[in-house]
């Protein structure tokens, strides 16, 4: 049996740990594992490497962020003809199964390939944690820990020099999960996210109220997708006559070693993906719902 792996879209911590575990599982059976380079583009160009467990096991993959296969945002995800071309390439290369790690767009393309007759397993992998059908996507925990690290450091100086407002912009595209997580953990006083829009007036009042309730400083996380970071900075500076400092975390949030939780999830996701393959259960996505790893339709 031949299995191809694709890491597609934005990379995330845990992708390499997943690949390592899948290679380990494959090495115990009669199965060849190959990895396409650069996401779906690798499938289009037949560009792949062997992921033999013996050759990759010494590469410290478990702890490495990014993806050893590189990733890419394939511009032809919505082009049905290209999808047929990818299917033909996979058939020609004798690939029996395709394992696709990625976010929403990448998994939608995986579903197209599945509808065309390719045996596909999807694996939700994006720091944004915004894939329908699963409560968890690989990389989210690492990304929210990165936010926490930044806020923790800001809090030291905020405590030493009270009275100011700190705005921390997070990644997440149009999904506010990362910014909201910092609020849910009690690290941010306010989270500004696309899913819960508020008016300028509401925000100003909210910040005023927090200061009058005794807050010594205010930390606000904001999802990049709102594209309002500098607007809110100026607004609050003028309305409250207080210093406002902006920190944009950017892609630091997407790199680095996966947390213990992401390494654990990578391993469990790989086991589940391999299980689906062994059971010949295709067109599925590995998912995590109600505290359990399982699978659902792509
Ligand atoms: O992969 C998801 C993500 O990291 C989003 O949080 C972010 O908006 C986007 O990718 C950035 O993508 P790129 O690195 O392609 O600009």
């Amino acid at each position: 049996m031949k299995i191809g792996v694709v890491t597609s879209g934005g990379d995330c911590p845990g992708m390499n740990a997943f690949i390592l575990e899948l290679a380990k599982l494959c090495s115990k059976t009669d199965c060849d594992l190959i990895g396409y380079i650069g996401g779906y583009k690798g499938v289009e160009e037949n560009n792949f490497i062997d992921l033999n467990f013996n050759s990759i096991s010494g590469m410290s993959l478990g702890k490495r962020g990014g993806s050893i296969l590189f990733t890419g945002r394939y511009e032809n995800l919505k082009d049905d003809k290209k999808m047929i071309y990818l299917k033909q390439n996979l058939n020609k290369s004798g690939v029996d199964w395709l394992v696709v790690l990625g976010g929403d767009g990448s998994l939608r393309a995986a579903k197209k390939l599945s509808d065309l007759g390719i045996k596909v397993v999807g694996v939700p992998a994006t720091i944004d944690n915004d894939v329908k059908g699963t409560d968890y996507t690989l990389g989210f925990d690492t990304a929210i820990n990165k936010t926490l690290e930044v806020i923790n450091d800001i809090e030291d100086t905020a405590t030493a020099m009270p009275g100011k407002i700190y705005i921390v912009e997070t990644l997440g595209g149009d999904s506010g999960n990362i910014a909201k997580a910092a609020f849910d953990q009690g690290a941010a006083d306010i989270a500004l996210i696309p899913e819960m829009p508020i008016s300028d007036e509401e925000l100003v009042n909210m910040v005023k109220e927090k200061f009058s309730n005794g807050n010594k400083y205010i930390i606000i996380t904001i999802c990049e997708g709102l594209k309002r970071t500098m607007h809110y900075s100026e607004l609050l500076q003028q309305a409250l006559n207080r210093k406002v400092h902006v920190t944009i975390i950017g892609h630091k949030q997407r790199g680095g070693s996966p947390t213990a939780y992401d390494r654990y999830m990578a391993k469990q996701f790989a086991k589940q993906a391999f299980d689906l393959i062994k059971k010949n259960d295709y067109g599925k996505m590995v998912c995590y719902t109600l505290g359990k790893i399982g699978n659902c339709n792509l």
Side-chain angles (χ1 to χ4, degrees), residues 10-11 73 126-128 171-173 224 251 254:
D11 52 275
R73 298 198 185 277
T126 163
I127 60 164
D128 299 349
L171 287 185
E224 59 168 355
H251 284 63
R254 209 166 77 186

Side-chain angles (χ1 to χ4, degrees), residues 188-257:
D189 301 292
I190 296 169
L192 299 171
I193 58 174
E195 295 87 338
M196 289 173 75
I198 64 167
S199 68
D200 287 1
E201 197 188 346
E202 280 172 309
L203 177 63
V204 169
N205 288 339
M206 219 187 272
V207 175
K208 272 186 189 160
E209 195 184 320
K210 286 187 186 295
F211 273 121
S212 50
N213 283 345
N215 279 52
K216 302 289 183 281
Y217 51 85
I218 303 288
I219 293 181
I220 301 172
T221 47
I222 178 166
C223 169
E224 59 168 355
L226 280 173
K227 298 188 170 52
R228 303 279 280 170
T229 305
M230 296 323 289
H231 165 78
Y232 286 134
S233 165
E234 278 152 32
L235 171 80
L236 293 173
Q237 198 138 357
Q238 276 166 22
L240 283 97
N241 195 26
R242 287 177 187 265
K243 263 195 173 174
V244 181
H245 295 296
V246 171
T247 303
I248 298 176
I249 307 179
H251 284 63
K252 179 173 171 47
Q253 194 142 50
R254 209 166 77 186
S257 275

Side-chain angles (χ1 to χ4, degrees), residues 78-248:
K78 291 180 185 154
D79 181 341
D80 290 345
K81 278 193 193 139
K82 273 282 178 195
M83 286 296 144
I84 293 171
Y85 184 75
L86 297 194
K87 169 203 153 76
Q88 287 165 346
N89 265 358
L90 288 162
N91 288 341
K92 264 190 246 158
S93 319
V95 170
D96 303 296
W97 283 86
L98 190 68
V99 178
V100 178
L101 283 82
D104 249 353
S106 308
L107 294 169
R108 265 197 301 275
K111 159 98 175 94
K112 275 192 190 169
L113 286 173
S114 167
D115 291 345
L116 289 170
I118 297 291
K119 291 182 179 178
V120 178
V121 179
V123 180
T126 163
I127 60 164
D128 299 349
N129 201 26
D130 62 347
V131 173
K132 282 192 196 79
T134 182
D135 296 340
Y136 192 75
T137 62
L138 209 54
F140 180 58
D141 187 64
T142 309
I144 62 180
N145 272 287
K146 295 263 172 190
T147 319
L148 212 56
E149 271 171 35
V150 171
I151 294 179
N152 287 348
D153 289 348
I154 289 175
E155 275 196 296
D156 287 344
T157 173
T159 311
M161 200 185 267
K164 300 202 255 180
I165 299 166
Y166 297 83
I167 297 183
V168 179
E169 185 188 283
T170 64
L171 287 185
D174 290 327
S175 140
N177 291 326
I178 299 176
K180 182 175 174 291
F183 174 78
D184 292 340
Q185 292 149 7
D189 301 292
I190 296 169
L192 299 171
I193 58 174
E195 295 87 338
M196 289 173 75
I198 64 167
S199 68
D200 287 1
E201 197 188 346
E202 280 172 309
L203 177 63
V204 169
N205 288 339
M206 219 187 272
V207 175
K208 272 186 189 160
E209 195 184 320
K210 286 187 186 295
F211 273 121
S212 50
N213 283 345
N215 279 52
K216 302 289 183 281
Y217 51 85
I218 303 288
I219 293 181
I220 301 172
T221 47
I222 178 166
C223 169
E224 59 168 355
L226 280 173
K227 298 188 170 52
R228 303 279 280 170
T229 305
M230 296 323 289
H231 165 78
Y232 286 134
S233 165
E234 278 152 32
L235 171 80
L236 293 173
Q237 198 138 357
Q238 276 166 22
L240 283 97
N241 195 26
R242 287 177 187 265
K243 263 195 173 174
V244 181
H245 295 296
V246 171
T247 303
I248 298 176

